[in-house]
């Protein structure tokens, strides 16, 4: 299941984080990072998925 989340995190970072934590603070932070730059959003999403 983590592999699917990582694939979603690369394609659409907030979706990968949402599947991992729901509507928690990390989700909103990831939306902000993705809007500021796609690469920071991907890095944050993969980090959240790998950490848990």
């Amino acid at each position: 299941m983590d592999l699917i989340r990582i694939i979603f995190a690369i394609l659409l970072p907030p979706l990968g984080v949402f599947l991992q934590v729901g509507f928690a603070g990390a989700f909103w932070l990831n939306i902000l990072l993705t809007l500021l730059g796609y690469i920071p959003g991907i890095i944050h999403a993969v980090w959240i998925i790998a950490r848990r």
Side-chain angles (χ1 to χ4, degrees):
M1 188 65 178
D2 282 343
L3 181 63
I4 294 171
R5 288 185 188 130
I6 289 175
I7 291 170
F8 280 135
I10 293 170
L11 296 175
L12 188 61
L15 179 60
V17 174
F18 174 75
L19 291 175
Q20 185 72 27
V21 298
F23 283 113
F27 172 72
W28 299 110
L29 177 62
N30 190 268
I31 287 178
L32 178 66
L33 288 171
T34 303
L35 290 174
L36 293 174
Y38 189 68
I39 300 299
I42 292 174
I43 293 169
H44 179 256
V46 170
W47 180 68
I48 290 293
I49 293 168
R51 187 178 64 154
R52 295 180 190 227

